[in-house]
Amino acid sequence: MAKDGKHRKSGIWSADAADVRELLRVPGGERIELAAFDARATPGGPQDKEAGLEATSVMADHLADLQERLFAASTAGDRRRILLVLQGMDTSGKGGTVKHVIGLFNPSGCRIRAFKAPTPEERRHDFLWRIKRALPEPGEIGIFDRSHYEDVLIARVRELAPSKEIANRYEQINRFEKSLTDDGVTVVKCFLHISYDQQRRRLLERLDNPDKHWKFNPGDIEERALWPAYQKAYEIALERCSPPDAPWYLIPADRKWYRNWAISRLLLEHLEALDPQYPKGDFDVEKARERLLRSG
Amino acid sequence: MAKDGKHRKSGIWSADAADVRELLRVPGGERIELAAFDARATPGGPQDKEAGLEATSVMADHLADLQERLFAASTAGDRRRILLVLQGMDTSGKGGTVKHVIGLFNPSGCRIRAFKAPTPEERRHDFLWRIKRALPEPGEIGIFDRSHYEDVLIARVRELAPSKEIANRYEQINRFEKSLTDDGVTVVKCFLHISYDQQRRRLLERLDNPDKHWKFNPGDIEERALWPAYQKAYEIALERCSPPDAPWYLIPADRKWYRNWAISRLLLEHLEALDPQYPKGDFDVEKARERLLRSG
């Protein structure tokens, strides 16, 4: 639940939503105040860890079955596919989501790409160039760990481009994502919303465990100092780039088990809505069976 | 076990091998007679399905942990990585291996590529061109569902290239794989060995289930008619391209649970031999902790 009631009018995290898609969807066109949303909330979901882990694992077979249907349909010309975009502050759980949620799927149908700071080659192109090269093929589930949104997030906070250029990117992104949805891509954008406190706890955990030092970069502390600027940059992106066909979902992510449940559930609802079907074979089954039986 | 004892001298499937790598390794340099190997065998492994599934799932945490170490090490400059090559007749279980074995790993560190008949663009290049573009990066586990070996298998059987050109490819492949091992790639090539009978059963299963018709192609029956030619082509590839540094492993694959166990176990043994270590952080941990605690 939102800490106060003022966001309920937009339906976000309102308990009477029809499904998780409706419950977590950012309406777009209005400013979201992230601080008003409790990152420890568990809207629409199981209420404790044990129930959350169980509810997520129960979805695994269903997810894998729908994924297989989606892939099978693509072999008969169905161009539909899913693109899951994961964004969030350091330690918000983008990598954990890939491990635990995407780990429920058949890896052969998943196309995963983690975007880092652009390479010199990538920098020579438009910011969407490297994105377009990493898109899922029909029948696949694409996963972006960070994405083109970095170009209105870190780029805005760190002033990596002229402000006018950044201002133009929101509309470019909307047009780009519209071209994707027009081409059969279901775009599922998840903002993993963690609290400032939770980030500190997770960074300290990394420091306390030598096996996790490789995940830690002293630069993470400088980024953390820019927390308010990043939250504002996210608020602007959520306001400007959440049209009905490619909305953002605001995922409370302080509880890892809820985050995994919610994103699994979101993918399940989208896959169910796609309702992909196994294609009928275009061959004579009886004849094929006879030939096989004759083959000894 | 081999049906007769004559292959034991080479150690293949001999019960006194030190580990599965030794047990299943094709020695190279001598002709393997595939028909002498029972595709229903379970060398070195659990003896029934229940025990096999259990023994495989027990490996999952260990595999994922070693994979994380391998990836972590790559962030500090370790170039090592694994390339799993899967080959075998139709229905031998290449796709099932990806689903059930690679599904045990964190998908973000796996780079999977299924090779189909070459596209017009691929055909304009050397047969290794498309292979080189799909290799795993340091720290990753690459998986090839089919590979450059198709160019000495179907290419040989279907005479898709002049025989002299095909004859040259074995040495080209050996040189190419040597360049990979020199660059830190552990090459694990698995030939999924199924029986002629088992292929018929699996093709019939696909025909009996309308949800599997999309996996069936009447052309599969024509390929099946060329079984002896394919077996011979495999025998030649196993003989010529199994040097000590990049050997083939002969995996009896009529029993899916054994196949999954054996390949999981092979990957585990290779990862254990690599013994990847978490890199030490190159920053002042205490100072970082203080800064974090001050950040509120």
Side-chain angles (χ1 to χ4, degrees):
Chain A
M1 295 298 120
K3 276 178 182 163
D4 54 39
K6 72 179 173 176
H7 286 285
R8 299 219 181 144
K9 69 182 184 316
S10 65
I12 192 162
W13 292 11
S14 151
D16 57 359
D19 57 21
V20 167
R21 285 179 300 176
E22 189 55 37
L23 191 63
L24 304 179
R25 191 171 58 79
V26 174
E30 52 185 276
R31 182 67 67 87
I32 285 285
E33 198 190 334
L34 286 172
F37 288 88
D38 180 3
R40 289 181 61 76
T42 58
Q47 295 305 304
D48 63 49
K49 183 173 177 177
E50 193 185 355
L53 295 177
E54 170 68 13
T56 303
S57 77
V58 159
M59 281 186 262
D61 286 350
H62 199 178
L63 286 169
D65 174 61
L66 284 161
Q67 179 196 17
E68 182 170 282
R69 287 168 182 268
L70 187 70
F71 184 80
S74 78
T75 66
D78 190 333
R79 291 186 58 76
R80 293 181 301 168
R81 61 209 112 147
I82 285 183
L83 175 61
L84 177 68
V85 174
L86 299 172
Q87 287 284 167
M89 301 295 289
D90 279 343
T91 76
S92 63
K94 302 179 289 294
T97 300
V98 174
K99 181 173 177 179
H100 295 287
V101 178
I102 301 310
L104 302 174
F105 291 89
N106 183 335
S108 70
C110 298
R111 188 176 293 250
I112 303 169
R113 175 71 193 274
F115 291 97
K116 314 279 185 193
T119 63
E121 187 192 16
E122 289 170 348
R123 245 186 277 271
R124 281 196 295 275
H125 294 86
D126 175 69
F127 76 101
L128 293 172
W129 179 77
R130 62 178 186 162
I131 305 296
K132 290 173 183 168
R133 293 160 58 95
L135 292 169
E137 298 287 318
E140 291 184 338
I141 298 176
I143 300 95
F144 285 176
D145 175 344
R146 302 187 189 269
S147 66
H148 43 299
Y149 282 94
E150 292 297 323
D151 294 283
V152 293
L153 294 166
I154 190 170
R156 184 182 190 98
V157 172
R158 294 282 190 180
E159 298 178 352
L160 304 179
S163 62
K164 194 168 166 186
E165 191 176 322
I166 290 173
N168 285 333
R169 286 179 181 167
Y170 300 97
E171 212 29 65
Q172 286 176 272
I173 288 174
N174 285 335
R175 279 197 302 273
F176 167 62
E177 293 181 356
K178 177 73 166 63
S179 75
L180 297 183
T181 56
D182 285 349
D183 195 29
V185 181
T186 296
V187 181
V188 182
K189 301 183 295 194
C190 293
F191 170 59
L192 308 186
H193 174 52
I194 58 165
S195 63
Y196 188 68
D197 272 1
Q198 184 67 15
Q199 188 188 57
R200 187 179 59 174
R201 271 191 292 274
R202 292 186 183 173
L203 288 172
L204 283 171
E205 275 171 26
R206 289 183 183 177
L207 289 178
D208 290 342
N209 183 349
D211 287 355
K212 292 191 171 179
H213 285 180
W214 67 281
K215 290 187 177 186
F216 189 90
N217 183 328
D220 297 345
I221 303 177
E222 275 100 69
E223 288 292 287
R224 175 170 166 79
L226 298 170
W227 183 277
Y230 272 106
Q231 295 291 298
K232 189 175 167 201
Y234 272 111
E235 287 170 353
I236 295 169
L238 296 176
E239 175 185 349
R240 299 192 189 170
C241 298
S242 197
D245 280 354
W248 277 99
Y249 296 97
L250 178 56
I251 316 283
D254 272 9
R255 300 181 198 262
K256 295 175 182 175
W257 59 264
Y258 174 81
R259 172 202 78 205
N260 292 339
W261 175 84
I263 297 175
S264 301
R265 180 81 212 166
L266 261 183
L267 291 171
L268 184 61
E269 289 177 2
H270 277 100
L271 281 162
E272 283 179 336
L274 291 176
D275 192 24
Q277 298 296 319
Y278 286 114
K280 295 202 197 315
D282 56 354
F283 59 93
D284 184 329
V285 176
E286 268 321 304
K287 200 172 148 200
R289 186 178 284 118
E290 277 165 36
R291 287 175 65 202
L292 256 177
L293 290 170
R294 272 204 310 277
S295 75
Chain B
M1 295 299 118
K3 275 177 182 163
D4 55 38
K6 71 179 175 177
H7 287 284
R8 301 229 177 133
K9 68 182 184 317
S10 64
I12 192 162
W13 293 10
S14 152
D16 57 1
D19 57 20
V20 167
R21 284 179 300 176
E22 189 55 36
L23 190 63
L24 304 179
R25 192 172 58 80
V26 174
E30 53 186 273
R31 182 66 68 90
I32 285 285
E33 196 190 333
L34 286 173
F37 288 87
D38 180 2
R40 290 180 62 76
T42 58
Q47 295 306 301
D48 62 49
K49 182 173 177 177
E50 192 185 356
L53 296 177
E54 170 67 14
T56 303
S57 76
V58 159
M59 280 186 259
D61 285 351
H62 200 178
L63 287 169
D65 174 61
L66 286 161
Q67 178 196 17
E68 182 170 283
R69 287 169 182 269
L70 187 70
F71 184 80
S74 78
T75 66
D78 190 334
R79 292 187 56 77
R80 294 180 301 170
R81 62 209 112 147
I82 286 182
L83 175 62
L84 176 68
V85 173
L86 300 172
Q87 288 283 166
M89 301 294 289
D90 279 342
T91 78
S92 62
K94 301 179 290 294
T97 300
V98 174
K99 182 174 177 177
H100 295 287
V101 178
I102 302 309
L104 302 174
F105 291 89
N106 183 336
S108 70
C110 298
R111 189 176 292 251
I112 304 168
R113 175 72 192 272
F115 291 97
K116 314 282 184 191
T119 63
E121 187 192 14
E122 288 169 350
R123 244 186 279 269
R124 279 196 297 276
H125 296 85
D126 174 72
F127 76 103
L128 292 172
W129 178 78
R130 62 177 187 164
I131 305 297
K132 292 173 183 167
R133 293 159 59 94
L135 291 169
E137 298 288 318
E140 290 184 338
I141 298 177
I143 300 96
F144 285 175
D145 174 346
R146 304 186 187 272
S147 68
H148 43 299
Y149 283 92
E150 292 297 324
D151 294 283
V152 293
L153 294 166
I154 190 171
R156 183 181 190 97
V157 172
R158 293 285 190 176
E159 299 177 353
L160 303 180
S163 62
K164 194 168 167 185
E165 190 176 323
I166 290 173
N168 285 334
R169 286 179 181 167
Y170 300 96
E171 214 26 67
Q172 287 177 272
I173 288 174
N174 285 335
R175 279 197 303 271
F176 167 61
E177 294 181 355
K178 177 75 167 62
S179 74
L180 297 183
T181 57
D182 284 349
D183 193 29
V185 181
T186 297
V187 180
V188 183
K189 301 182 293 193
C190 292
F191 170 58
L192 308 186
H193 173 51
I194 58 166
S195 65
Y196 188 67
D197 272 1
Q198 185 67 15
Q199 187 188 58
R200 187 180 60 173
R201 272 191 292 276
R202 292 185 182 173
L203 288 172
L204 284 171
E205 275 170 25
R206 290 183 182 177
L207 289 178
D208 290 343
N209 182 349
D211 286 356
K212 292 191 171 179
H213 284 179
W214 67 281
K215 290 187 178 186
F216 189 91
N217 183 328
D220 297 345
I221 303 177
E222 273 100 69
E223 288 293 287
R224 176 169 165 80
L226 298 170
W227 183 277
Y230 272 105
Q231 296 291 298
K232 190 175 166 198
Y234 273 109
E235 286 169 354
I236 296 169
L238 296 176
E239 175 185 350
R240 299 193 189 169
C241 297
S242 198
D245 280 353
W248 276 100
Y249 297 96
L250 178 56
I251 317 283
D254 272 9
R255 300 181 198 261
K256 294 175 182 176
W257 58 264
Y258 175 81
R259 173 201 77 205
N260 291 339
W261 175 85
I263 297 174
S264 302
R265 180 80 212 166
L266 261 184
L267 290 171
L268 183 62
E269 289 176 0
H270 277 100
L271 281 162
E272 283 179 336
L274 291 176
D275 192 23
Q277 299 297 320
Y278 287 112
K280 295 203 197 312
D282 56 356
F283 59 93
D284 184 329
V285 176
E286 268 323 302
K287 197 170 148 203
R289 186 180 283 116
E290 279 165 34
R291 287 176 65 202
L292 255 178
L293 290 170
R294 273 203 310 275
S295 74

